[in-house]
Amino acid sequence: MVSDEFIYDPKTSKKVKHFRYSSDGLQYWETQFDENETKTAYDIYKNKILIVHQEFKNKKKHGSWLCINKNGAKCVTEYNNGKKIKPETRL
């Protein structure tokens, strides 16, 4: 990693986003936080294309989890409160 960037809420001074950039500039990671600075979402981009999206609630897997492999195949898995509720679906 070459650099990290943090975005803070100007009213509360709490962290709302964290960006991490690769040394070649082709990949970066974005983490979003709630008002308690708990992670709510995590994304990975490669060549400006979203390849991973994960959602969290109360520090557990929650919502849609998306991934795209090297060949461009997409898969989505649904979670509720840390438990898989819908098996992986290939799109």
Side-chain angles (χ1 to χ4, degrees):
M1 299 310 126
V2 166
S3 68
D4 286 300
E5 176 182 11
F6 293 91
I7 307 296
Y8 293 89
D9 182 323
K11 294 177 184 176
T12 64
S13 297
K14 292 192 176 186
K15 179 173 46 181
V16 292
K17 286 191 179 182
H18 173 209
F19 297 96
R20 178 168 279 173
Y21 302 93
S22 64
S23 59
D24 58 11
L26 297 177
Q27 189 163 341
Y28 74 92
W29 299 258
E30 177 182 338
T31 306
Q32 296 178 32
F33 301 91
D34 65 13
E35 62 279 351
N36 297 314
E37 295 185 314
T38 302
K39 179 170 54 174
T40 59
Y42 178 73
D43 297 321
I44 300 174
Y45 294 86
K46 189 164 188 170
N47 297 322
K48 299 183 181 181
I49 297 170
L50 179 68
I51 60 170
V52 172
H53 173 76
Q54 301 171 340
E55 298 174 4
F56 300 88
K57 184 176 179 181
N58 299 322
K59 299 181 182 180
K60 295 180 181 179
K61 296 176 182 180
H62 191 79
S64 298
W65 281 44
L66 165 77
C67 65
I68 300 173
N69 69 17
K70 294 180 200 177
N71 300 323
K74 299 177 186 178
C75 62
V76 176
T77 305
E78 296 287 331
Y79 291 91
N80 185 1
N81 200 29
K83 296 184 181 185
K84 191 184 292 188
I85 58 170
K86 188 175 178 186
E88 184 177 289
T89 305
R90 300 215 181 261
L91 305 174

